[in-house]
Amino acid sequence: MAKQHDYTARIEWTGNRGDGTRSYRGYDRTWDIATPGKPVIHCSNDPLLGGDPGLPNPEDLLLASLSACHMLWYLHLASVAGIVVLSYQDNPIGVGETGPDGAGRFLSATLTPHIVVEAGADLTEAEAIHHRIHQYCFIARSVNFPVHYEPTFADA
């Protein structure tokens, strides 16, 4: 039987310049994410929509969450398979589109992890693990767009 559990956060808009949303250009698209007991994350809208390019936006956070979830499951499954991972870096790419009415969505994401494994590791199994993660990863199982994997490997 599946167990249900809750995640909590507080989202607080910080972009009121004094007049609220009285005019479309009169407020900032900034907010804070506060999760109990964790550092606050200052965020903004996508720069394509007038946001601050120096702050994470919802699309950045979704792509980073997808990549991090994949990485954590990869590390777990590699450990169980006896593959020693020494380093893991990913530069994921999300492809989005914006329609004529301004509504947007992700079309796909490609994870491109570069993984350094201990010399002598079974690289066939190291590759195969990527294609089993979608069975477990909370984020990958929750998105409605395809997620592709293009891993590269090196041994130490």
Side-chain angles (χ1 to χ4, degrees), residues 2 16 18 26 28 48 76 80 87 92 122 142-143 148:
N16 185 349
D28 293 330
L48 295 173
H76 170 76
V80 169
S87 172
D122 180 346
S142 300
V143 299
H148 308 284

Side-chain angles (χ1 to χ4, degrees), residues 19-143:
D19 287 325
T21 59
R22 189 172 316 282
S23 72
Y24 182 73
R25 300 207 186 282
Y27 63 94
D28 293 330
R29 278 69 173 170
T30 57
W31 72 94
D32 288 343
I33 299 172
T35 307
K38 300 174 186 173
V40 171
I41 302 170
H42 305 291
C43 301
S44 183
N45 201 13
D46 185 320
L48 295 173
L49 302 170
D52 182 340
L55 296 175
N57 61 58
E59 296 79 10
D60 294 336
L61 297 169
L62 177 61
L63 188 60
S65 294
L66 180 64
S67 176
C69 186
H70 185 90
M71 177 192 68
L72 292 168
W73 273 106
Y74 187 86
L75 296 173
H76 170 76
L77 295 173
S79 178
V80 169
I83 296 170
V84 177
V85 175
L86 302 173
S87 172
Y88 186 112
Q89 294 180 347
D90 190 10
N91 295 299
I93 300 167
V95 177
E97 73 173 1
T98 305
D101 63 354
R105 67 182 181 137
F106 273 97
L107 297 175
S108 67
T110 302
L111 307 183
T112 61
H114 179 72
I115 302 163
V116 177
V117 295
E118 191 172 64
D122 180 346
L123 295 182
T124 301
E125 176 61 14
E127 159 75 26
I129 290 171
H130 285 285
H131 304 285
R132 293 196 300 266
I133 292 172
H134 69 277
Q135 298 171 23
Y136 304 102
C137 174
F138 198 95
I139 307 300
R141 291 173 47 88
S142 300
V143 299

